[in-house]
Amino acid sequence: MTLFLQQLVNGLSLGSIFALVALGYTMVYGIIKLINFAHGDIYMVGAYIGYMAITSLKVGLFPAIIIAMITCAVLGVVIEKIAYKPLRNASRITSLITAIGVSLLLEYVMMYFMGAGVRTFPDVMDKTKIEFAGLSITSAQLLILGTTLLLMLLLQFIVKKTKIGKAMRAVSVDADAARLMGINVDRTISYTFAIGSALAGAAGVLVGVYYNTISPLMGVTPGLKAFIAAVFGGIGVIPGAMFGGLFIGVAETMVGVYWSSLIKDAVVYIILILILLIKPSGILGKNVKEKV
Amino acid sequence: MLKIENLNIKYGAIHAIKGIDLEVHEGEIVTLIGANGAGKSSILRAISGLVKASEGTISFMGNSLNKVSAQNIMKMGISQVPEGRHIFSGMTVLENLELGAYQRKDKEGIRKDLQAVYERFPILEKRSRQDAATLSGGEQQMLAMGRALMAKPKLLLLDEPSMGLAPILVREIFSIIEDIHKQGTTVLLVEQNARMALSVADRAYVLETGKVVMSGTGKELAASEDVQKAYLGG
Ligand SMILES: Nc1ncnc2c1ncn2[C@@H]1O[C@H](COP(=O)(O)OP(=O)(O)O)[C@@H](O)[C@H]1O
Ligand SMILES: [Mg+2]
């Protein structure tokens, strides 16, 4: 039982990272129906920005997270304006291929400037362990869980209560009707990219702290898993991405411990296949017919 | 108030609107009737800035709308209730109404207008916390109208408000339209239900395949033999 609870904590920590990244996938998909395959690389950029902020600017962890979030927000907005906006009326496959192109561009630009190798993320936290009821929780895990919880509450507040959040939901439902309300759709899309990318940026720094290493290709697999998490929870549905991320993180961790760490990745893809077969709209997704 | 001159709209190769002139004076109810596909919605969408005119001008209170974005057109005082309601599903009735006032900053005024909308449509107040998608067709129409009124428009564009409603609801909707008009809002009403539309309109235009084929006062057109044959079933 203690082992199970311990693995649950580990799984939730990993799942928090997936959830933060999955939110960006789901929000962007919700508003422009684009699967932004470059999103995992925004997370990678966030990790590097955090790294540089700590090593070069000598700031502490929290300022580093903020700097990474802001930089990624700007990056996300710029990518949308340059790469995706001109394709707003193009076929989905065109945008998808463009997103893959942006993803590769980010990876190789980062390699060019920072090298292809793995870098060690600076030690910014004392690695204390908190022992509690037989469980041991590291300070990095507490940081991840706490930061994720805070960011999710903040996101819920923005989406539910603020004007920009209501505009985001309105544009997701019906962009033309939103225009008739006087909502600036382009600006709303920019805000969505900014918020989604900022969350990924925070996740990047957190993962640097957690695993101690970062690399230009670090976003590929977690990006894919976060995407699966978003689909699992119901793409376009914000609570779905939160739930999906945590679920995938816990599932992967449990399988790794109780079964075999060799197949823990495979399990994530099996989950994707199962959900697509059984409930393609995702666990929390509504079975709505696509509008024509 | 609204003046359209030589409006042309093209969707790729489809020439949907072919040189239309239309005017709405302050204080009027003007109706635009025509069969399905005649181009009625296209004209309203062009006024609201959702589609661009390929030729011609649209001006509102002396200002050209051709280069103005949809959100600024709405700011200038033109609200549209689109065909098919287009309420925001997944959001509550209240949130839908609040979105109608998205451009406004006067909290006190918004609160008053919300009260006025609730008085006009008491069902919306009862359903205010409910997902808008759960409303019936008639209630959704009322929500779409209430939402447009929350912007305090000078000119209200209504696109087939009676579509798909039972006759008793159609009468109710039309009496509400007359009421909104009496309280000072100018109305441009698009309808396929020509009988009802002509009965409330000061002036009317008949649209056929992208062209205005007739215009006159509501009474004149209702009495015209051609209109009776084509649109009033006899
Ligand atoms: N987005 C569009 N793309 C292509 N053709 C369109 C589009 N919208 C309308 N049309 C065409 O323009 C014509 C007028 O349509 P519309 O304005 O919707 O007419 P109405 O509202 O009178 O039914 C129709 O032939 C319709 O098929
Ligand atoms: Mg129409």
Side-chain angles (χ1 to χ4, degrees):
Chain A
M1 189 62 195
T2 317
L3 176 66
F4 177 80
L5 287 177
Q6 180 67 55
Q7 294 312 322
L8 190 62
V9 171
N10 297 349
L12 288 174
S13 307
L14 179 65
S16 295
I17 304 285
F18 293 155
L20 286 177
V21 181
L23 282 166
Y25 273 112
T26 228
M27 290 167 70
V28 164
Y29 184 85
I31 207 153
I32 55 169
K33 304 291 173 280
L34 165 75
I35 295 166
N36 179 16
F37 270 116
H39 191 60
D41 301 292
I42 303 266
Y43 150 93
M44 174 274 293
V45 171
Y48 273 87
I49 298 291
Y51 170 89
M52 287 184 266
I54 293 167
T55 53
S56 309
L57 300 178
K58 312 273 185 240
V59 300
L61 180 57
F62 283 103
I65 291 176
I66 305 282
I67 292 170
M69 287 178 76
I70 293 170
T71 313
C72 288
V74 173
L75 180 64
V77 171
V78 170
I79 289 172
E80 193 274 327
K81 288 263 183 270
I82 293 176
Y84 302 147
K85 192 172 167 210
L87 300 174
R88 196 102 22 99
N89 297 317
S91 69
R92 282 200 198 181
I93 193 75
T94 315
S95 314
L96 205 62
I97 292 168
T98 306
I100 294 171
V102 173
S103 164
L104 294 171
L105 180 73
L106 290 175
E107 288 164 15
Y108 289 94
V109 166
M110 191 55 85
M111 279 188 200
Y112 179 79
F113 285 108
M114 301 297 289
V118 170
R119 280 170 187 258
T120 307
F121 203 83
D123 262 330
V124 278
M125 291 191 81
D126 39 341
K127 302 275 167 189
T128 45
K129 283 197 172 125
I130 295 148
E131 304 288 340
F132 173 76
L135 303 177
S136 98
I137 304 173
T138 67
S139 47
Q141 285 178 329
L142 271 185
L143 170 79
I144 289 179
L145 293 170
T147 311
T148 303
L149 184 67
L150 189 74
L151 289 175
M152 284 185 178
L153 289 175
L154 190 65
L155 179 68
Q156 277 299 328
F157 174 77
I158 291 174
V159 170
K160 292 275 182 224
K161 299 286 177 211
T162 67
K163 237 178 152 177
I164 187 70
K166 285 177 190 170
M168 281 163 55
R169 284 190 286 150
V171 174
S172 299
V173 179
D174 192 329
D176 266 353
R179 280 193 185 90
L180 290 177
M181 302 299 106
I183 292 170
N184 185 334
V185 170
D186 286 341
R187 192 185 304 158
T188 306
I189 291 171
S190 291
Y191 275 115
T192 307
F193 269 85
I195 294 172
S197 305
L199 294 174
V205 183
L206 292 175
V207 97
V209 174
Y210 195 37
Y211 290 126
N212 287 319
T213 58
I214 59 174
S215 76
L217 296 180
M218 65 181 274
V220 178
T221 307
L224 197 54
K225 287 179 183 167
F227 166 66
I228 292 170
V231 172
F232 179 75
I235 191 127
V237 185
I238 287 178
M242 297 178 182
F243 171 75
L246 295 173
F247 183 87
I248 297 279
V250 171
E252 182 182 318
T253 307
M254 293 296 178
V255 168
V257 172
Y258 288 101
W259 199 348
S260 154
S261 62
L262 291 174
I263 60 155
K264 67 181 169 62
D265 281 354
V267 164
V268 178
Y269 302 110
I270 291 169
I271 291 175
L272 174 68
I273 293 167
L274 287 181
I275 194 77
L276 289 179
L277 287 174
I278 298 164
K279 197 166 184 289
S281 57
I283 296 289
L284 301 183
K286 287 187 206 82
N287 281 317
V288 281
K289 278 176 247 119
E290 188 136 349
K291 270 179 295 179
V292 281
Chain B
M1 181 179 221
L2 180 79
K3 197 172 166 100
I4 298 179
E5 283 172 306
N6 188 32
L7 177 67
N8 280 270
I9 299 174
K10 288 180 183 154
Y11 300 103
I14 301 169
H15 196 164
I17 301 295
K18 303 162 187 149
I20 276 181
D21 298 314
L22 184 153
E23 224 175 319
V24 180
H25 305 290
E26 187 148 12
E28 280 187 317
I29 296 191
V30 173
T31 185
L32 185 59
I33 56 177
N36 209 0
K40 305 177 300 295
S41 298
S42 299
I43 296 174
L44 292 197
R45 291 169 63 78
I47 297 170
S48 284
L50 295 179
V51 295
K52 288 294 156 214
S54 58
E55 216 183 303
T57 56
I58 303 175
S59 64
F60 180 62
M61 315 220 311
N63 302 308
S64 166
L65 299 184
N66 287 52
K67 296 223 154 35
V68 184
S69 65
Q71 82 249 16
N72 286 331
I73 289 174
M74 120 79 96
K75 227 185 214 166
M76 290 164 77
I78 302 180
S79 283
Q80 182 181 157
V81 180
E83 182 181 329
R85 293 83 154 131
H86 288 262
I87 51 118
F88 296 107
S89 60
M91 302 180 81
T92 65
V93 168
L94 177 61
E95 282 174 333
N96 269 267
L97 292 172
E98 285 169 349
L99 280 167
Y102 190 80
Q103 290 270 6
R104 293 174 61 183
K105 303 240 166 1
D106 55 322
K107 277 219 169 82
E108 188 53 26
I110 293 174
R111 202 189 52 78
K112 271 202 196 117
D113 286 342
L114 181 64
Q115 225 41 56
V117 167
Y118 281 159
E119 264 158 46
R120 197 184 290 286
F121 306 107
I123 189 73
L124 296 184
E125 182 163 25
K126 262 194 224 134
R127 303 259 188 272
S128 67
R129 304 270 156 209
Q130 220 167 296
D131 183 340
T134 63
L135 300 185
S136 71
E139 289 165 356
Q140 290 193 5
Q141 185 61 47
M142 293 177 189
L143 176 57
M145 288 169 68
R147 187 179 67 176
L149 290 175
M150 288 298 292
K152 250 189 158 172
K154 299 187 180 83
L155 172 64
L156 183 63
L157 311 176
L158 295 160
D159 197 345
E160 302 204 30
S162 74
M163 190 169 46
L165 299 185
I168 176 150
L169 274 173
V170 173
R171 275 194 292 280
E172 187 176 346
I173 293 286
F174 271 87
S175 88
I176 291 167
I177 293 170
E178 286 192 284
D179 206 47
I180 291 169
H181 170 244
K182 271 200 204 98
Q183 292 181 5
T185 310
T186 308
V187 175
L188 176 56
L189 169 66
V190 158
E191 265 298 342
Q192 284 195 54
N193 188 335
R195 189 184 306 277
M196 286 301 285
L198 291 175
S199 75
V200 301
D202 297 313
R203 286 187 310 111
Y205 294 83
V206 179
L207 197 66
E208 264 172 31
T209 55
K211 287 195 187 117
V212 171
V213 292
M214 243 184 290
S215 62
T217 66
K219 276 208 189 77
E220 276 165 17
L221 288 194
S224 137
E225 238 171 71
D226 290 339
V227 172
Q228 290 198 346
K229 257 201 218 113
Y231 300 100
L232 303 176

